[in-house]
Amino acid sequence: MAKLDFLLLQVFERLRKQGVPLGVSDYLTAIEAIQSGVGLEDPDSFKGLFRLLWAKSREDQGLFDLAFAELVEPELQNTTVHDDLNILTPTITPGEEFFESLPERFISQFQTAKDISQLGNNLPESELVMKSPQQWKKLPTKLVKKSFVLEIEPTKKTHYYQLTTRLPISRREMAGVWRYLRRPQRVGVLEELDVEATISNLCSSGLLLQPVLKPRRRNQAQLVVLVDRQGSMAPFASLIEATIESILRGGLLGKTKLYYFHDRPENLLYQRPNLTNALPLETILNEEAKGNSVLIIGDAGAARGYYDLQRVTETKLFLQTLSTYTYLYAWLNPMPKSRWVATTAEDIACMIPMFPLDREGLDDAVNILRGHPFPPGVGIDEQNS
């Protein structure tokens, strides 16, 4: 079982390096499970056990499947998980780096001997000691084969490809950012004691007739989201879907209105992603956006890397109209900022606060939507094309 333990440790360490949130307790839980016999019925059950314990999301499952297929499945072919003899006979060379990477418990499983340099070909396997890589090199090849590791047999390496979408920021992180989009206002039933007003009345009348009450503060943030669809935005469908989902999970469910456009918002916006069910732009701005936050999501021409003066001009007209209804607006771009240079996005970013769709960009966009001032040099009058 030691070799099997080592293979699983490789999978575990790779997943951690790829950002899967795993801790030591997750690894120990998995090892305890197989030591108790869980998941050892067949290779599929074995894989399913560790996939369940270590992969908590669709993205994590894709990373796990790739690592398991590359590191473990070749050793499980044509054998059963219970067949320890077959599992413990992979062909790898006992190099120094290999042994330095082994946990101490693997090496300590061998019995000790006082002087390894005296070992010969006829020494019983129970007398072996494996204290360092240098000591392994002193052993005769025959003993190395008997002990733990076999000589390498050249095999053709199988290549695996990761086709699962990996978002630049997890859905959970995005949802956490949107919880900061708050505009607390006192509305509703009078139920909270107004201490200052109560004291003022007491001082002016000399009597405490009754306490003065006021409404509680409640989050009155309303968000209108305008999403660019089709064309150059098609490759970002998963990222946009995750962003919208995070907005709704972040406490704005029922307070978010979603509309779609193609390339730039024009006189009509659409209620469905396939650009159907059109509504007049003026109607949406007047009924939904007035005094509220407006978020625009689109590549602004950066995905194809070209400059379109007409698109800049028409986007500017839209932003001028939007600015008459609200000053709380920002733009999220799925393309990194380095790709905006010499494209339409570079000019549009001078008119409206535009941020890349990553963790830092989300934080900055939410701050603008809450009422923070625009960055220096950004504004509808800053671009004079």
Side-chain angles (χ1 to χ4, degrees):
M1 191 66 71
K3 179 57 181 175
L4 184 58
D5 195 355
F6 175 64
L7 293 174
L8 293 171
L9 180 61
Q10 288 184 307
V11 174
F12 180 81
E13 290 177 344
R14 176 182 290 190
L15 294 177
R16 282 171 58 91
K17 291 178 180 178
Q18 292 175 329
V20 178
L22 292 174
V24 175
S25 60
D26 296 297
Y27 179 75
L28 296 178
T29 299
I31 297 304
E32 289 174 2
I34 62 172
Q35 288 177 344
S36 64
V38 178
L40 299 182
E41 297 83 3
D42 53 68
D44 289 339
S45 299
F46 183 72
K47 176 181 178 180
L49 169 67
F50 285 88
R51 196 173 192 265
L52 179 65
L53 293 175
W54 291 353
K56 308 299 184 183
S57 68
R58 186 178 302 174
E59 292 83 4
D60 295 347
Q61 289 171 359
L63 293 173
F64 173 85
D65 291 343
L66 179 64
F68 195 90
E70 187 173 342
L71 299 173
V72 179
E73 285 184 356
E75 307 299 336
L76 297 181
Q77 293 176 355
N78 303 320
T79 186
T80 64
V81 182
H82 274 300
D83 193 351
D84 288 347
L85 292 179
N86 288 337
I87 290 176
L88 292 174
T89 57
T91 56
I92 49 180
T93 300
E96 184 170 345
E97 294 182 358
F98 169 76
F99 290 107
E100 288 177 350
S101 68
L102 282 177
E104 291 183 1
R105 64 180 182 280
F106 290 170
I107 296 176
S108 64
Q109 289 175 2
F110 297 93
Q111 302 299 319
T112 60
K114 293 183 178 179
D115 188 359
I116 192 167
S117 62
Q118 298 177 358
L119 292 175
N121 287 333
N122 297 322
L123 191 64
E125 183 176 346
S126 62
E127 298 287 332
L128 295 180
V129 57
M130 306 302 162
K131 293 185 178 179
S132 71
Q134 289 74 22
Q135 291 174 330
W136 278 95
K137 293 178 180 179
K138 296 178 181 179
L139 285 177
T141 302
K142 180 179 178 181
L143 290 180
V144 174
K145 289 183 178 180
K146 287 176 61 179
S147 306
F148 186 61
V149 185
L150 301 181
E151 294 177 344
I152 192 166
E153 296 178 0
T155 57
K156 184 177 181 181
K157 182 175 178 59
T158 303
H159 294 279
Y160 297 90
Y161 298 91
Q162 170 64 299
L163 300 179
T164 303
T165 302
R166 189 68 173 174
L167 302 177
I169 175 175
S170 70
R171 287 174 167 83
R172 180 179 300 177
E173 285 182 292
M174 286 193 284
V177 173
W178 289 112
R179 290 190 179 97
Y180 289 98
L181 181 54
R182 303 183 59 82
R183 296 181 64 193
Q185 297 178 0
R186 295 191 180 278
V187 294
V189 180
L190 303 177
E191 54 183 330
E192 184 176 299
L193 177 64
D194 188 333
V195 177
E196 293 184 0
T198 301
I199 294 176
S200 177
N201 281 356
L202 177 61
C203 294
S204 61
S205 65
L207 297 173
L208 180 59
L209 300 177
Q210 62 181 14
V212 179
L213 302 178
K214 58 184 177 182
R216 290 186 181 275
R217 288 183 178 274
R218 292 177 172 83
N219 184 18
Q220 297 300 303
Q222 301 282 335
L223 180 64
V224 178
V225 183
L226 309 181
V227 182
D228 190 358
R229 290 285 299 180
Q230 301 180 358
S232 60
M233 287 296 293
F236 306 107
S238 297
L239 177 58
I240 303 307
E241 177 186 352
T243 303
I244 294 172
E245 178 188 335
S246 71
I247 292 173
L248 302 180
R249 289 177 55 192
L252 294 174
L253 182 63
K255 300 180 179 181
T256 301
K257 299 294 183 179
L258 192 60
Y259 299 98
Y260 302 90
F261 64 92
H262 178 60
D263 282 353
R264 59 268 196 187
E266 298 180 300
N267 293 330
L268 294 176
L269 295 176
Y270 302 91
Q271 299 181 75
R272 295 183 179 176
N274 60 354
L275 303 183
T276 59
N277 286 34
L279 288 177
L281 172 64
E282 290 286 349
T283 300
I284 295 172
L285 294 180
N286 188 56
E287 296 180 358
E288 309 288 355
K290 192 171 184 179
N292 292 323
S293 302
V294 177
L295 175 68
I296 306 167
I297 304 176
D299 70 300
R304 289 199 170 102
Y306 64 76
Y307 184 87
D308 185 343
L309 179 58
Q310 182 179 358
R311 184 170 182 172
V312 171
T313 302
E314 293 179 355
T315 302
K316 182 176 182 178
L317 291 175
F318 161 74
L319 293 175
Q320 288 174 331
T321 302
L322 175 64
S323 64
T324 63
Y325 289 90
T326 182
Y327 67 95
L328 303 170
Y329 53 86
W331 192 303
L332 283 175
N333 195 320
M335 295 295 293
K337 196 169 184 178
S338 59
R339 295 287 299 275
W340 304 353
V341 180
T343 71
T344 309
E346 185 175 27
D347 276 1
I348 295 177
C350 294
M351 310 178 210
I352 177 175
M354 182 182 291
F355 308 101
L357 214 170
D358 54 23
R359 176 55 190 265
E360 185 177 353
L362 278 176
D363 286 334
D364 292 337
V366 168
N367 285 334
I368 295 296
L369 297 177
R370 292 169 58 195
H372 286 207
F374 285 10
V378 176
I380 195 61
D381 297 324
E382 297 293 332
Q383 213 286 334
N384 298 311
S385 317

